[in-house]
Amino acid sequence: MSVVEARRLLVRYGGNPKPTLEEISFSIPRGSVYALLGRNGAGKSSLVRCLLGQQKPAAGSCFLLGEDVWKNRARLMAKVGVVPEDPDAPPSMTARQLSAFCAKVYPSWDAPSVEARLARFGVPAGTPYGSLSKGQRALVALALSLASSPELLVLDDPTLGLDAVARRAFFEELVGELADRGTTVLLTSHDLAGVESMATRVGMLKGGRLILDEDLETLKGRFRRLRYANEATEDPTNYGQELSDFDAVRVKVRGWGIEAVVSNYGDESFAKFTALEGVMDAEASALSLEEIFLAVVGEPAGKERA
Amino acid sequence: MKGTLAVAAREIAERKLLFLGALVAGLLPLGFPLLPVLRGNSRDARSVAVLLLAATIAVAFPLVLGATILVGDIAQKRLGFYFSRPLPAASIWAGKLLGSLLISVGCAFLAAAPVIFVEGESAFSSDTGGLGSRGPLVLALPGVLVLFLLAHVVASMARLRSAWIVLDFILAVVFAVAIALSLRSLFLAGVWDLDEMKHPPETIAWWLTAPIIAALLAASYVQVADGRTDARRSHGALSATLWGLMALLALPLAGLAWWVNAATPKDVIAIEGGIQSAPRGSWVVLAGKVRSRGAAGAVFLYDTASGRYVKLHGSGEVAFSADGARAAWFEEKGFFERKRNGALQIASLDSAKPVSIGSDLQTDAWMPFVLSPSGRRFAALEGDKVLSVYDLADPAHPKQLVAVKLPASAVSRRLSFSGESSLRVLPMIFRNDPGATGNAEMLELDIPSKKIQPTGRFDSAVLPRLRASADGSRLIGVRETRLTLRDGRTGALLAVLSEDLENPRLRFLSGGRIAVTGVADGKGILKIFLESERTPSRAIELGPAANVVLGGEIAPGRVAVALNPFRSNDETARKAWKLAVVDVTDGNVDSHFSGLVPADRFSWWFSPILSPAEAGSPASKLFLDADGALVRLDPASGKQEILLGGKR
């Protein structure tokens, strides 16, 4: 059973004719760490709010743990931990008071774990939430989100604006939690390096559409950067049919030759490619998640001169 | 419930300093006796200060909290904290509401607590300069709730900044106007007659307010439950619910108002009091409760011959021309006023479909008014001071012909035209002002020359209640059992017609005769005078009666007189009327009709002019039966035809 499922989700704001989210459908299997990526304004936070039952989509529906989240939000939230993009806890309350408040409304609440995590993070438990730094607020939110032993953890760009130390603390705690309990995670983030170390599956939003949704390993396996010298023509930009077997996401003409990012890399195809007349010194290198993201989402596909 | 209390407790904990502040502020007045300037009346000053403090808190806190607590969370995107917890929307809404109410009421109480603690029970005694009754404290909670909700709704509309605010503004105006007009319409129709209310006005006010409070509560709940963290949707949910419920309230109210006011004469159940008939013709003014419309009443100008009618939106005071073809009255202008001030209405009753023409003549004061015999002139006495005469050639735009200031008078005045060019001002004494002293003059205005001069004088201590004959030539005066006939211009005594009858009544009959009735020694008496005689030409004993009503000359020489053994007007008395038709020539009582009483008993109380002498006039044949139905009696056959009502 999928822990998270979205069916033909449509979100539209005001009189804007173009929907923010257009017929989004995807699911997250139990135990997965799903990284939802996209540029600013791609609709990630809208999607998260819909998935948490905080916002009603114009069409479509969302399910958490097999139940319609709009109808059963209150019950489902007992099994979901949330770290929001913007710190939304009452600013006058201390982390300790927030924990005490949550203890009254959750069926089970591990208050000592909150204290322990805050101590590990070095966040004062007696300081009002509004007086904490943004990084500290994110860590408080993470500590609170984990105290109910959730089956699903939803993290909406939790490390946005955090310094490297706070970011590291955040992800270390998260990795530890995942190792301990195997919690399903839905994560949106711009920190692609941090995400890459944890994610098992990736979705990419662009222009209101989910243009990519697959396991990270598969994704990384099919994306490669190809570099080669093109001697087939005198003009290096006038490359010909040598990339025809590949789905070239991006092609750049460099001084020394051509650099292409392909999304359907295969060893056999590459061997055939290197044997083509005019293709010299071809090499294929793996891409990081960030490079794949930039290639897929960053700019329109095509060729350019560097 | 657990979630509600947790949210409420959190709101209270966040603002706990407010409680401390209120308590400290409440302690300060206890130090008033130490201030030299307040020595001697420090207790009063203390009570006033505490009252003001508590009232300020009870008003200001819910307004501020209503404008900030939920709306602020939505606008600043902080409601997600609650919605990402296992808290039902109802708990979030109710917890925030409960917290706000407890903060407001609790702080107001804490501000008053020190004085209440020191003063004890006497703190509530207004006699001792205390806080007054506990009533205001009991009303504090609903009052705080209303303020909180109003502030919340207004702040939501203003702060959430969605396009709904345009609709909010339009619908707020539309519903406010619709509800106000509907209530006004129902009020003026008498649906809520405060004199007949079983419940105090405060209770009625709460009944009217309760649906609006319920709508505000429901709207704010749906705003949270359906809008959640989406500010635009939240505003939409609030507006849709609020205006939807307001429509559910306003539309039936408007429908009820329309239905109540759509009553026709056929809806009249029972005619109240009696009718006022036009001097000639078949038009009458009647008022009564209308079918299935609660305590609502209606007033109509009604043609007993054809069934045509004009609905009057006023008290029912109507002036007729001598031929009965034109009528004038005032309709209410004020919003919740039931006085007859307002705009003058004129109707031509001889048209196929009479309609009232609203004129631009308006008044803010209660005033007597009258139409000239031709109906072409209208006179009114404003504030008992300024006498004005208008030309009604164009009824929509009366043209003022004369406006003269009258000398001061010890008594009220009424008007009576004498022809088209002369207007008489009659002094009028009322039962509730019998002891007025000073001169009471009769005045006459010559309209062409605009000159006014006294024509007669009364000592107001013995001034009788005067009414003029239809032609203005004579007056009759009644004071207690003394019934006098007087000169129409000077008021000079012509004859004492009766001194021994209780509740004497008079009518001018055809042939210059005068009929007088009353009760003497437990018997109904009818006396017939020739105009020239000072003693009755005939006195007819009608039988045992405690009350007698003199009708008109139902046929030449035949006068209708109703007798009742009771003085009261209850159901038993209504059924006890017995109508006798008396032949004034020979004194024979021709026939009896049980349960009938003349409909036009003695003209309406405000009219200074008696019905003209006219044998067999349509009005003389109209009676009310025991059920309040308007009945036309054929004197020849005895046949009774119910025209209106009859199902009391």
Side-chain angles (χ1 to χ4, degrees), chain B residues 383-409:
Chain B
D384 255 0
K385 288 178 185 170
V386 178
L387 177 61
S388 301
V389 180
Y390 296 85
D391 180 89
L392 295 180
D394 178 1
H397 305 288
K399 181 184 171 188
Q400 192 175 58
L401 300 175
V402 183
V404 292
K405 192 170 180 182
L406 301 187
S409 171

Side-chain angles (χ1 to χ4, degrees), chain B residues 192-259:
Chain B
W192 299 295
D193 194 328
L194 295 181
D195 295 338
E196 297 177 9
M197 283 286 184
K198 292 178 185 171
H199 304 281
E202 303 88 64
T203 307
I204 307 298
W206 274 115
W207 286 351
L208 296 174
T209 313
I212 295 174
I213 295 176
L216 291 170
L217 274 172
S220 65
Y221 168 69
V222 175
Q223 176 188 21
V224 174
D226 195 59
R228 301 192 186 177
T229 63
D230 184 342
R232 189 177 284 108
R233 185 180 175 88
S234 163
H235 189 174
L238 172 83
S239 297
T241 308
L242 178 64
W243 301 127
L245 291 174
M246 291 301 282
L248 285 180
L249 172 68
L251 291 178
L253 195 63
L256 177 65
W258 172 83
W259 187 66

Side-chain angles (χ1 to χ4, degrees), chain A residues 184-263:
Chain A
T184 306
V185 177
L186 169 62
L187 170 67
T188 77
S189 179
H190 291 98
D191 182 4
L192 299 185
V195 166
E196 188 172 357
S197 64
M198 292 188 302
T200 58
R201 194 171 175 85
V202 174
M204 290 188 191
L205 283 170
K206 184 179 182 185
R209 292 179 176 277
L210 190 65
I211 58 171
L212 189 150
D213 175 26
E214 63 185 295
D215 287 340
L216 181 58
E217 287 307 312
T218 309
L219 180 70
K220 293 183 76 171
R222 67 183 178 87
F223 271 85
R224 283 291 186 278
R225 179 187 291 110
L226 304 184
R227 286 177 171 146
Y228 61 97
N230 183 8
E231 295 186 351
T233 62
E234 187 175 346
D235 180 357
T237 62
N238 189 17
Y239 53 87
Q241 303 298 312
E242 69 274 10
L243 286 169
S244 60
D245 282 353
F246 292 111
D247 183 4
V249 178
R250 184 177 305 278
V251 180
K252 287 185 178 178
V253 178
R254 306 288 192 184
W256 43 262
I258 292 170
E259 180 183 283
V261 174
V262 298
S263 63

Side-chain angles (χ1 to χ4, degrees), chain B residues 10-294:
Chain B
R10 201 210 71 71
E11 295 297 335
I12 291 169
E14 187 172 331
R15 294 164 180 83
K16 55 182 177 292
L17 286 179
L18 291 177
F19 291 94
L20 184 62
L23 185 60
V24 170
L27 285 169
L28 293 179
L30 293 179
F32 281 6
L34 302 176
L35 300 175
V37 70
L38 293 175
R39 275 195 188 133
N41 56 0
S42 62
R43 191 166 184 277
D44 289 349
R46 191 164 65 191
S47 296
V48 170
V50 164
L51 264 179
L52 283 175
L53 180 64
T56 303
I57 289 174
V59 170
F61 277 30
L63 287 176
V64 172
L65 295 174
T68 53
I69 276 193
L70 261 171
V71 187
D73 287 338
I74 298 169
Q76 294 167 19
K77 299 184 176 177
R78 293 196 176 281
L79 211 54
F81 173 76
Y82 299 96
F83 275 105
S84 55
R85 315 289 155 200
L87 282 168
S91 292
I92 299 170
W93 170 78
K96 298 248 173 198
L97 183 66
L98 180 63
S100 303
L101 295 183
L102 290 176
I103 290 167
S104 302
V105 175
C107 285
F109 175 75
L110 280 179
V115 167
I116 293 173
F117 181 76
V118 170
E119 301 280 348
E121 274 297 305
S122 65
F124 294 103
S125 168
S126 53
D127 296 339
T128 56
L131 296 173
S133 72
R134 287 187 173 85
L137 300 180
V138 174
L139 292 175
L141 193 61
V144 164
L145 178 62
V146 170
L147 290 174
F148 176 86
L149 290 170
L150 283 175
H152 168 75
V153 167
V154 172
S156 292
M157 292 169 178
R159 293 186 67 185
L160 299 183
R161 293 174 184 272
S162 77
W164 280 91
I165 195 167
V166 178
L167 193 66
D168 288 334
F169 182 77
I170 294 169
L171 291 181
V173 172
V174 167
F175 283 123
V177 170
I179 290 174
L181 289 178
S182 301
L183 289 176
R184 173 184 186 263
S185 175
L186 291 170
F187 181 82
L188 293 178
V191 169
W192 299 295
D193 194 328
L194 295 181
D195 295 338
E196 297 177 9
M197 283 286 184
K198 292 178 185 171
H199 304 281
E202 303 88 64
T203 307
I204 307 298
W206 274 115
W207 286 351
L208 296 174
T209 313
I212 295 174
I213 295 176
L216 291 170
L217 274 172
S220 65
Y221 168 69
V222 175
Q223 176 188 21
V224 174
D226 195 59
R228 301 192 186 177
T229 63
D230 184 342
R232 189 177 284 108
R233 185 180 175 88
S234 163
H235 189 174
L238 172 83
S239 297
T241 308
L242 178 64
W243 301 127
L245 291 174
M246 291 301 282
L248 285 180
L249 172 68
L251 291 178
L253 195 63
L256 177 65
W258 172 83
W259 187 66
V260 165
N261 284 285
T264 69
K266 291 190 183 306
D267 293 314
V268 172
I269 305 167
I271 289 158
E272 293 173 337
I275 63 168
Q276 180 196 3
S277 55
R280 296 268 189 277
S282 51
W283 284 85
V284 300
V285 183
L286 56 89
K289 292 277 185 287
V290 279
R291 187 172 289 111
S292 307
R293 287 165 171 87

Side-chain angles (χ1 to χ4, degrees), chain A residues 13-14 49 53-56 69-70 73-74 77-78 80 82 87-93 98 101-102 104-107, chain B residues 2-3 6-7 9-10 14 16 77-78 80-89 92 225-230 232-233:
Chain A
Y13 288 114
R49 284 196 296 272
Q54 295 183 6
Q55 179 176 338
K56 191 171 176 62
V69 70
W70 182 257
R73 180 200 55 80
M77 285 304 112
V80 179
V82 180
D88 59 3
S92 64
M93 293 176 79
L98 288 169
F101 171 77
C102 290
K104 293 177 192 168
V105 298
Y106 279 87
Chain B
K2 193 175 160 188
V7 174
R10 201 210 71 71
E14 187 172 331
K16 55 182 177 292
K77 299 184 176 177
R78 293 196 176 281
F81 173 76
Y82 299 96
F83 275 105
S84 55
R85 315 289 155 200
L87 282 168
I92 299 170
D226 195 59
R228 301 192 186 177
T229 63
D230 184 342
R232 189 177 284 108
R233 185 180 175 88

Side-chain angles (χ1 to χ4, degrees), chain A residues 16-27:
Chain A
N16 191 347
K18 180 169 172 53
T20 301
L21 294 175
E22 198 170 347
E23 304 250 328
I24 301 288
S25 295
F26 74 106
S27 60

